[in-house]
Amino acid sequence: MRNKLVLALTALVAVLMVSSIALSGGQPSRPTLSFEELSSGHMVLGYRIPCSNYDQSYSALILGADRIGHGDIYVLITESLDFDVKVSLYTMVDHLNNELRSFGVDSVSSVIGSDSLPKVFSDPQAILICGPSTSLPDYFAAPALHWVERGGLWIGVGESSVPFMYSQSNESNPNATMRLDFTELSYNGGVDGGPTPMATALGFRYVAPDNAFELQDLEALGGRSIGFEYDRDGLLGTAGVIHIGKGSVMVMGGDMGPPPLSTSEEVLAWDLEKVLAFNVPWWTGELTYQIVSSDGSAIESALNSSFTYNGLYASYGVVPRNDAVQSCAVGHYSR
Amino acid sequence: MSGNLVHTIKDVLFPDRMLLWAIMAGFAIRIAVAPWTSWTYDTYPFYQGIVDQLAGLGPYGHMVYSYPPAFNFIEYPFSIILALFSDPTQWVTFVPSMVEVGRVTNMVVPTVTSPGFNLTYKLPLILADYLCGVLLYRFVRKIKDEDSGRRVFILWFLNPFVIFVSSIYGNFDVLAVFLTLLALYAMYSRRYLSAGLAVGLGVSMKLYPLYLGLFCFAYLVGQVIVNYRTRDDPMGRLKNPIKFIAGAIGGASSIVISVLLNPSLMVFINGRMSNNDMGGINIWGLLRTGNVLFNGSSALPQDEFTLVNTVTSYLMFLILFLILLRVFMMLRSSHERHEEQMIFGSMSVFVVLLLFQPVTHAHYLLWALPFLLLCSLYQHRFEHIVFALSVVGVVFWLALQSYMAFLYPLSVYTGAVPTDLINQVVVDYYAGSMGISAEGARIIPTVIGVGALAFALLPEKLDPAKRLMIFLRGRSHEE
């Protein structure tokens, strides 16, 4: 009996050791892509998605962009933030560092305080993410806007997350010159709402932030809606992109609160990863996509697009739409 | 040879024919409820960890699964079998109408796992329930007799709280509980390598068995020191703690390998070490309850990140100090009662941990339950403590969002209960519009739970419940 107990426990240890070596994960085999511009604006994305043990559903897409690639990602955490928001932002950094690699993006994410903002503002390739109610002092508005105009990407989640923007509840900053009003979003089971083509193409999951911005304000600023849209006594949007100079501002609704998997940091991070991988902040041209699926057999197909806008670049690739298959591939084409 | 093996396995797994009815009833109840119930907030991480595993990303592919990896590895073959019958795309459904409920309670995830998935991921837990029962039976038979063994088996395997945690709520604490119980069994039988292996394996499931490991190791080292002058083989005396620590390191090796291959795990370990919350069924929950009663606020007086971190760090030192104090008391006591001391010592390690750790969710009470049952062999009052904690554990969970919150799978996949009705009941209950708020409903179980845990630490002669019983009996005799 003495030996049997040791043997049984040792066998269990061996099984777990082998499992931890065999199952600790890595990068699943990637789809293969081929991309060609046959004539001006007429592009073809050929792709082959390897077979899987499970049902597969993928989006294949091509979008035109004026710029590709970006620098490192900085997530701003200030003392003024709610404790829960701080935790969510820290968790989001972990998500980005862990998962961006699978899209072939090698940017590194890190947390910074407001004393590091001058360093960020010196790098026009950098990305800065600010959480809801960051409420930076007004003296940051001008340098922040100047940085964006030179090429920076400011991602603001929720109200008071972009210092040069104001809303009806925050009109006191004299250097905030762009108006974007936020309204509480009654999700109501998703009734009278739906995804934009970009949200469908990339399979966004940040579907129900508890507040959203007025789409008419976004459009007045020259922005494009890329998330979900809801009709609630006026159109509301969950995510949008505004080009400013050489840079861009991406605005998102919400306060990073509960519940998980519809409004909180993990789905926010998963959507942001796709946004960054496909250069959506620099999206100026058109978008073509198709959704393909199989019972697990390999998928081999081609996506044709005829862009009328002559953007400088095209970003293309395939991304999974369900959880149990996760191989993806992204590429960029300089025209 | 194979006949012998089958006989041995049968003897180990099914040691007593007279328990057949209890075994069948216990399994039948569990299999009946497991598919149709879940706690969406905690089930989704298991789902994500399993599908990330199937997708080849490992358990931490999307950083939603946040426990040591062993449970995920144990689930893997079960999920492969499920995938033969049902594609993983059918294992989960996003239910938009649940989003608003999640916003209100912060305990509902609008993603509901399928009955097939629920049953599959709970199967190892149900088996562990049974293995715990069998081990308790064998342990008690060894200490006392078969009748007591049967009694303890039934008190465990048909205990509503045990059934609730593994088969309704669906958390895997019972796997770690089984391994800690096995470690105690091995310590009791003076098999120190096995004890170390069991503790190490327990740590690879959940981190808390580490405290039992520290207790056992301190006890073995203490024995070496105490017996220093009475034996003449100093190297031989060192064997026991060395065997134990070697076993523990070997048992926990899967964690080390996983961290080396995928450092994402460290994010969660660091996160758990710097916990930012305090409460549940422990002294902090009692403070919170006091705040609700007297100040109308459920927040603790100190909720700043750094302060809580500091308090938490000191708490860990306090817990370690109390464990070492217990070891010291054991070593000072009679050597003739080594086994009994070991059982009471292990029990008090878990009770101290439950009372003083930052957060004690109700299902954590399971950690101490088998040890309290073993103590009941020596002092009957522990059976009352087990009874109280079992009721408290179930009531506390039901009090969080009402019992309806566990029925989402039944609702979403059969329509037997309308999802909107569940949503409405959960929100009304949580907001207190049904007469009693969720916060208020947790006050009584918190007070009883903390009281029962505190009584478990008192010597029998000081136990106020026992003194009250004696007093009442005396009064009734006088009358």
Short mmCIF file of all heavy atoms in Angstrom, two decimals, chain B residues 395-418:
data_model
loop_
_atom_site.label_atom_id
_atom_site.label_comp_id
_atom_site.label_asym_id
_atom_site.label_seq_id
_atom_site.Cartn_x
_atom_site.Cartn_y
_atom_site.Cartn_z
N VAL B 395 -26.29 28.83 1.88
CA VAL B 395 -27.14 30.02 2.02
C VAL B 395 -26.40 31.27 1.54
O VAL B 395 -26.98 32.12 0.85
CB VAL B 395 -27.60 30.19 3.49
CG1 VAL B 395 -28.28 31.53 3.70
CG2 VAL B 395 -28.55 29.06 3.88
N PHE B 396 -25.12 31.36 1.85
CA PHE B 396 -24.36 32.54 1.44
C PHE B 396 -24.35 32.67 -0.09
O PHE B 396 -24.55 33.75 -0.63
CB PHE B 396 -22.93 32.45 1.97
CG PHE B 396 -22.16 33.75 1.87
CD1 PHE B 396 -22.09 34.61 2.95
CD2 PHE B 396 -21.52 34.10 0.70
CE1 PHE B 396 -21.40 35.81 2.87
CE2 PHE B 396 -20.81 35.29 0.60
CZ PHE B 396 -20.75 36.15 1.68
N TRP B 397 -24.11 31.55 -0.76
CA TRP B 397 -24.08 31.60 -2.23
C TRP B 397 -25.44 31.97 -2.80
O TRP B 397 -25.55 32.78 -3.71
CB TRP B 397 -23.60 30.27 -2.82
CG TRP B 397 -22.14 30.28 -3.08
CD1 TRP B 397 -21.18 29.56 -2.44
CD2 TRP B 397 -21.45 31.08 -4.05
NE1 TRP B 397 -19.95 29.86 -2.95
CE2 TRP B 397 -20.08 30.78 -3.92
CE3 TRP B 397 -21.86 32.02 -4.99
CZ2 TRP B 397 -19.12 31.39 -4.72
CZ3 TRP B 397 -20.89 32.62 -5.78
CH2 TRP B 397 -19.54 32.31 -5.65
N LEU B 398 -26.48 31.34 -2.23
CA LEU B 398 -27.82 31.65 -2.74
C LEU B 398 -28.19 33.10 -2.44
O LEU B 398 -28.96 33.71 -3.18
CB LEU B 398 -28.86 30.70 -2.11
CG LEU B 398 -28.68 29.21 -2.44
CD1 LEU B 398 -29.80 28.39 -1.81
CD2 LEU B 398 -28.66 28.97 -3.95
N ALA B 399 -27.64 33.63 -1.34
CA ALA B 399 -27.97 35.00 -0.95
C ALA B 399 -27.30 36.04 -1.84
O ALA B 399 -27.69 37.21 -1.82
CB ALA B 399 -27.56 35.24 0.50
N LEU B 400 -26.33 35.63 -2.63
CA LEU B 400 -25.64 36.63 -3.46
C LEU B 400 -26.55 37.23 -4.52
O LEU B 400 -26.60 38.43 -4.72
CB LEU B 400 -24.41 35.99 -4.13
CG LEU B 400 -23.19 35.81 -3.24
CD1 LEU B 400 -22.12 35.03 -3.98
CD2 LEU B 400 -22.63 37.15 -2.81
N GLN B 401 -27.25 36.35 -5.25
CA GLN B 401 -28.12 36.86 -6.32
C GLN B 401 -29.44 36.11 -6.39
O GLN B 401 -30.12 36.19 -7.40
CB GLN B 401 -27.44 36.70 -7.68
CG GLN B 401 -26.19 37.48 -7.88
CD GLN B 401 -25.70 37.38 -9.31
OE1 GLN B 401 -25.83 38.29 -10.09
NE2 GLN B 401 -25.14 36.25 -9.67
N SER B 402 -29.75 35.32 -5.39
CA SER B 402 -30.91 34.43 -5.35
C SER B 402 -30.59 33.13 -6.08
O SER B 402 -29.72 33.10 -6.95
CB SER B 402 -32.19 35.05 -5.92
OG SER B 402 -32.28 34.81 -7.31
N TYR B 403 -31.35 32.09 -5.78
CA TYR B 403 -31.08 30.77 -6.37
C TYR B 403 -31.29 30.78 -7.88
O TYR B 403 -30.73 29.98 -8.61
CB TYR B 403 -31.97 29.70 -5.70
CG TYR B 403 -33.41 29.77 -6.12
CD1 TYR B 403 -33.90 28.96 -7.15
CD2 TYR B 403 -34.31 30.64 -5.51
CE1 TYR B 403 -35.22 29.03 -7.54
CE2 TYR B 403 -35.62 30.71 -5.88
CZ TYR B 403 -36.08 29.91 -6.90
OH TYR B 403 -37.38 29.99 -7.29
N MET B 404 -32.11 31.72 -8.35
CA MET B 404 -32.42 31.74 -9.79
C MET B 404 -31.18 31.98 -10.64
O MET B 404 -31.12 31.56 -11.80
CB MET B 404 -33.46 32.83 -10.08
CG MET B 404 -34.83 32.57 -9.51
SD MET B 404 -35.72 31.29 -10.43
CE MET B 404 -36.67 32.30 -11.55
N ALA B 405 -30.19 32.67 -10.08
CA ALA B 405 -29.00 33.00 -10.87
C ALA B 405 -28.23 31.75 -11.29
O ALA B 405 -27.40 31.81 -12.19
CB ALA B 405 -28.10 33.92 -10.07
N PHE B 406 -28.51 30.62 -10.63
CA PHE B 406 -27.82 29.38 -11.01
C PHE B 406 -28.54 28.64 -12.14
O PHE B 406 -28.05 27.64 -12.62
CB PHE B 406 -27.73 28.45 -9.78
CG PHE B 406 -26.79 28.96 -8.73
CD1 PHE B 406 -27.25 29.75 -7.70
CD2 PHE B 406 -25.44 28.67 -8.79
CE1 PHE B 406 -26.39 30.25 -6.73
CE2 PHE B 406 -24.56 29.16 -7.84
CZ PHE B 406 -25.04 29.95 -6.81
N LEU B 407 -29.72 29.13 -12.53
CA LEU B 407 -30.55 28.37 -13.48
C LEU B 407 -30.45 28.88 -14.91
O LEU B 407 -31.25 28.48 -15.75
CB LEU B 407 -32.01 28.40 -13.01
CG LEU B 407 -32.28 27.76 -11.64
CD1 LEU B 407 -33.75 27.86 -11.29
CD2 LEU B 407 -31.84 26.30 -11.64
N TYR B 408 -29.49 29.73 -15.20
CA TYR B 408 -29.39 30.27 -16.56
C TYR B 408 -29.21 29.17 -17.62
O TYR B 408 -29.85 29.23 -18.67
CB TYR B 408 -28.27 31.31 -16.66
CG TYR B 408 -28.71 32.69 -16.23
CD1 TYR B 408 -28.16 33.30 -15.11
CD2 TYR B 408 -29.67 33.38 -16.94
CE1 TYR B 408 -28.58 34.57 -14.70
CE2 TYR B 408 -30.09 34.65 -16.54
CZ TYR B 408 -29.54 35.23 -15.42
OH TYR B 408 -29.96 36.48 -15.04
N PRO B 409 -28.38 28.14 -17.39
CA PRO B 409 -28.28 27.11 -18.43
C PRO B 409 -29.62 26.43 -18.70
O PRO B 409 -29.98 26.18 -19.85
CB PRO B 409 -27.25 26.12 -17.86
CG PRO B 409 -26.45 26.92 -16.90
CD PRO B 409 -27.41 27.91 -16.30
N LEU B 410 -30.35 26.12 -17.64
CA LEU B 410 -31.66 25.49 -17.81
C LEU B 410 -32.56 26.39 -18.65
O LEU B 410 -33.26 25.94 -19.56
CB LEU B 410 -32.29 25.25 -16.43
CG LEU B 410 -33.69 24.63 -16.43
CD1 LEU B 410 -33.61 23.16 -16.83
CD2 LEU B 410 -34.35 24.74 -15.05
N SER B 411 -32.50 27.67 -18.35
CA SER B 411 -33.34 28.63 -19.05
C SER B 411 -32.94 28.78 -20.52
O SER B 411 -33.77 28.67 -21.42
CB SER B 411 -33.24 29.98 -18.34
OG SER B 411 -33.78 30.99 -19.13
N VAL B 412 -31.65 29.02 -20.74
CA VAL B 412 -31.19 29.36 -22.09
C VAL B 412 -31.28 28.15 -23.03
O VAL B 412 -31.61 28.28 -24.21
CB VAL B 412 -29.75 29.90 -22.03
CG1 VAL B 412 -29.13 30.03 -23.42
CG2 VAL B 412 -29.74 31.24 -21.31
N TYR B 413 -31.02 26.95 -22.51
CA TYR B 413 -30.94 25.79 -23.40
C TYR B 413 -32.21 24.95 -23.43
O TYR B 413 -32.34 24.05 -24.27
CB TYR B 413 -29.74 24.92 -23.01
CG TYR B 413 -28.43 25.60 -23.36
CD1 TYR B 413 -27.76 26.38 -22.43
CD2 TYR B 413 -27.90 25.50 -24.64
CE1 TYR B 413 -26.58 27.03 -22.74
CE2 TYR B 413 -26.72 26.15 -24.97
CZ TYR B 413 -26.06 26.92 -24.02
OH TYR B 413 -24.90 27.57 -24.36
N THR B 414 -33.16 25.19 -22.52
CA THR B 414 -34.42 24.43 -22.58
C THR B 414 -35.63 25.34 -22.63
O THR B 414 -36.70 24.92 -23.07
CB THR B 414 -34.60 23.50 -21.35
OG1 THR B 414 -34.85 24.30 -20.20
CG2 THR B 414 -33.38 22.63 -21.12
N GLY B 415 -35.49 26.55 -22.15
CA GLY B 415 -36.64 27.45 -22.10
C GLY B 415 -37.60 27.11 -20.96
O GLY B 415 -38.68 27.69 -20.87
N ALA B 416 -37.20 26.18 -20.10
CA ALA B 416 -38.09 25.76 -19.01
C ALA B 416 -38.42 26.93 -18.08
O ALA B 416 -39.52 27.00 -17.53
CB ALA B 416 -37.45 24.63 -18.21
N VAL B 417 -37.47 27.82 -17.92
CA VAL B 417 -37.72 29.05 -17.16
C VAL B 417 -37.34 30.21 -18.09
O VAL B 417 -36.24 30.21 -18.63
CB VAL B 417 -36.82 29.12 -15.90
CG1 VAL B 417 -37.24 30.28 -15.01
CG2 VAL B 417 -36.84 27.81 -15.15
N PRO B 418 -38.23 31.17 -18.28
CA PRO B 418 -37.88 32.29 -19.18
C PRO B 418 -36.68 33.07 -18.65
O PRO B 418 -36.63 33.40 -17.46
CB PRO B 418 -39.15 33.16 -19.19
CG PRO B 418 -40.24 32.28 -18.69
CD PRO B 418 -39.61 31.29 -17.78
#
